[in-house]
Amino acid sequence: MHEPTVKELPAHGVRAERIEKRLGGNDVLRGVDLIVRTGEILSILGSSGSGKSTLLRCLNLLTVPDSGDIWVHGEKLAIRSESQHGGQAEILDHRQVRRVRASMGMVFQSFNLWPHMTALENVTEGPVLVKGIRRNAAADLGRHYLAKVGLSDKAGAYPRHLSGGQQQRVAIARALAMEPRVLLFDEPTSALDPELVGEVLRVMATLADEGRTMVIVTHELAFAREVSTRAAFMHRGLIEEESPSQKFFSSPVSGRLRSFLASHR
Amino acid sequence: MDITLLLTSTVTLASGIPLTLLLTAASLLAGLVLAVPLAFMRASSRKWLSLPVLAYTYGFRGTPLLVQLFIIYYGLGQIGIIRSSVLWVLLRDPFWCCLLAFSLNSAAYTTEIFRGGIQAVATGLVEAAQAVGMSPLQIKRRIIFPIAFRSVLPSYANEVISLVKATSLASTVTLLEITGLSRKLVSETFAPYEIFIAAGVLYLGLTFLLTGFFHALEGRLNAAPRAKTPLGRVALQQVAHEQ
Amino acid sequence: MDGFMLQFVNGLKTTVLLALVSGALGMALGLLAAAGRLSRWRAVSVMVGFYTTIIRGVPELIIILLIYFGGTVAISAFFGRYVEVNAFLAGVVSLTVVFGAYTAEIFRGAVLSIPTGQIEAARSLGLHPWQAWLLVILPQMLRIALPALANQWISLVKETSLISIVGLTDIMRVAAIGAGSLRAPLTFYLAASALYLALTSLALVIFNLLERRFAVPGR
């Protein structure tokens, strides 16, 4: 497989090198390398427990890797590795991490909308607090993105009055309102009733058409095949196979990937 | 039972309501201001932050308020440094002693109530806030605390009602709030039934009003038309915080 | 301070005895009241509702003063001369009335949280209603109520200190006497608070053991 080097590091996009993470005594990530170039839509597939969600969470340091390096838009994230001092791995530059997180929108499996805020407030809270945008301007921005996910009429609704699909679309609008350079999706449809999956995938497909940089951890193979430019298959804490989407789905190399694709038809 | 006396003493004792309310409101406010940061410290996973707060809440919740009040009112004067300091101006005044004792006591209970609420906030909600780049303080202020406060509102309402009742101890250090006035009146007339029942009626009125207020607040904060529940539901919940 | 050792021991005994007696009587009253609150007779249920709501909306001190001074007036009227009510007795009565009101609500809540299917199951086994209550409802209800009961017992231990206001020589009163006579209030009240903290801690430990022993699976 092609080994990326620091020289090839794209000035934009995200890059992770030799990421290791132990959780609860398990080696969840065992030295993973990953590159996400600007404009690319990368799907990460794999059976549950393969480490794909943990890898995604490492990219914006919601999970701090035990060791390894992460660059976002050409900037290396300051992390202290576990091995260097014997203690827990930790974030060294919290300002930097907050800045980087603000530039990477994240959509969670369980939506995680703030229950005490309306849909619009959920969307505007980040821009107001983090970017210092005035409430009025943020409200316009928020309405724009709620319209984009087809929820203009739900601006004043509280999360618990929305369906799962609507909640996830608000969560996407919340991520978009920060006008991020990269969007991270952590199994965005896994918690949804089957009949609500479609509306969320349609919104994501629209975003893909706009040429946004996206990393999608998903079980929706058909969708991944349709929208992604590249795909990666994870197995037991490592990327087993990674290739352009066309090749990945039509002529997989690894036996495990072939049986995975076959079993998820 | 002398109904006329009951009515006249109710009117007389009503003049103690402002002091009862002042003691309640001021201790409540001071307790709240203390409890919010303490609750976050108590909820922290860092032992050096949480253990001192635990010692404080354990001590104040494990001993009678009456002892705490007497330690402050009678006891602190025993320490020379305090006697000769400017603080003495306040600490020899029973009102300020009550305020201090009630505030510290209320803060201990409130801290534990809020701690429970803070720890019950789903991690995903905090992660969502981290993911947009909010600072830890912003997350506490805008996400964790509002969610925690809503979830513990019934317990907090109970704490407020306990505090109203606890202010009756101010009568033991000569303050003439409702209970103080009623004890004075009883010693003058020796008609304990009418007077103490009148006092009880006044307290009951206050606790009912507060229950109604918190019930309305709960409905408002949940911002949705809820099914009607009978007034008094908040008070009927058990004092889950006294653990 | 040394001279007060024995008095503190006696005070401690009084406090513990007062708490145990009023706690036991109060729980019995609470059980009765809970049964009344849940009973089919609306009048009984409403009366008990008044009792628990009123008692829990009024300061304990007012109830204590009412029972002590009210009792004195009543008994004096009965005997035709001034008779002061025994402070311990007044303490037991008032704390029982208070404890009963709080535990009644605890027991009621616990009973209501038991699925009705269990009563039906007990019935279908051919148990009499009273057997169903005694064998199925009561043991479960006590287990469910245990954490809330623990809190209430700890409150009760602390509330006993209020009886010192009407002259009972408990821990609190011994401290007050010592504080006055030796002019060392801080020392004596700190000693009293240490004793109370020991008692409430002991109650906490006992209830933790009970909870572990009778843990409700899945709760």
Side-chain angles (χ1 to χ4, degrees), chain A residues 118-129 131-148 151-156 170 173-174 176-179, chain B residues 142:
Chain A
T118 61
L120 183 62
E121 286 164 346
N122 264 280
V123 177
T124 57
E125 194 65 12
V128 170
L129 287 188
K131 293 180 140 183
I133 295 177
R134 294 210 341 273
R135 289 249 168 225
N136 288 345
D140 292 340
L141 186 78
R143 281 194 203 92
H144 168 75
Y145 283 108
L146 281 178
K148 194 175 176 74
L151 290 172
S152 298
D153 54 331
K154 297 291 184 188
V170 173
R174 175 172 70 180
L176 291 174
M178 291 297 291
E179 307 194 317
Chain B
R142 299 288 306 177

Side-chain angles (χ1 to χ4, degrees), chain C residues 44-73:
Chain C
V44 175
S45 172
V46 169
M47 288 296 286
V48 175
F50 272 126
Y51 157 61
T52 59
T53 309
I54 289 172
I55 294 297
R56 293 177 316 135
V58 173
E60 290 75 15
L61 183 56
I62 289 288
I63 295 164
I64 292 163
L65 292 171
L66 177 65
I67 286 175
Y68 180 78
F69 290 106
T72 300
V73 165

Side-chain angles (χ1 to χ4, degrees), chain A residues 27 38 48 55 57 75 79 102-103 129 131 177-178 182 194-195 197 240 244 246:
Chain A
D27 288 316
T38 299
S48 47
L55 177 61
R57 291 167 55 88
E75 184 179 4
I79 330 166
S103 75
L129 287 188
K131 293 180 140 183
M178 291 297 291
V182 181
E195 72 272 19
V197 169
E240 173 113 351
Q246 188 75 32

Side-chain angles (χ1 to χ4, degrees), chain C residues 56-140:
Chain C
R56 293 177 316 135
V58 173
E60 290 75 15
L61 183 56
I62 289 288
I63 295 164
I64 292 163
L65 292 171
L66 177 65
I67 286 175
Y68 180 78
F69 290 106
T72 300
V73 165
I75 293 176
S76 299
F78 183 79
F79 286 107
R81 63 188 169 85
Y82 181 77
V83 183
E84 206 160 85
V85 172
N86 176 282
F88 187 85
L89 190 65
V92 167
V93 173
S94 43
L95 292 181
T96 299
V97 166
V98 171
F99 201 60
Y102 281 94
T103 50
E105 290 297 333
I106 295 174
F107 290 142
R108 184 179 78 110
V111 170
L112 289 179
S113 74
I114 297 173
T116 48
Q118 296 205 5
I119 302 180
E120 284 156 21
R123 287 285 185 81
S124 71
L125 286 173
L127 294 181
H128 275 287
W130 65 266
Q131 283 176 318
W133 271 91
L134 202 64
L135 300 174
V136 180
I137 306 292
L138 194 67
Q140 284 200 76

Side-chain angles (χ1 to χ4, degrees), chain B residues 16-27 164 167 177-178 206 210:
Chain B
I17 292 178
L19 185 53
T20 292
L21 286 182
L22 176 63
L23 282 169
T24 307
S27 324
V164 174
T167 58
E177 34 65 77
I178 299 175
L206 290 182
L210 279 170

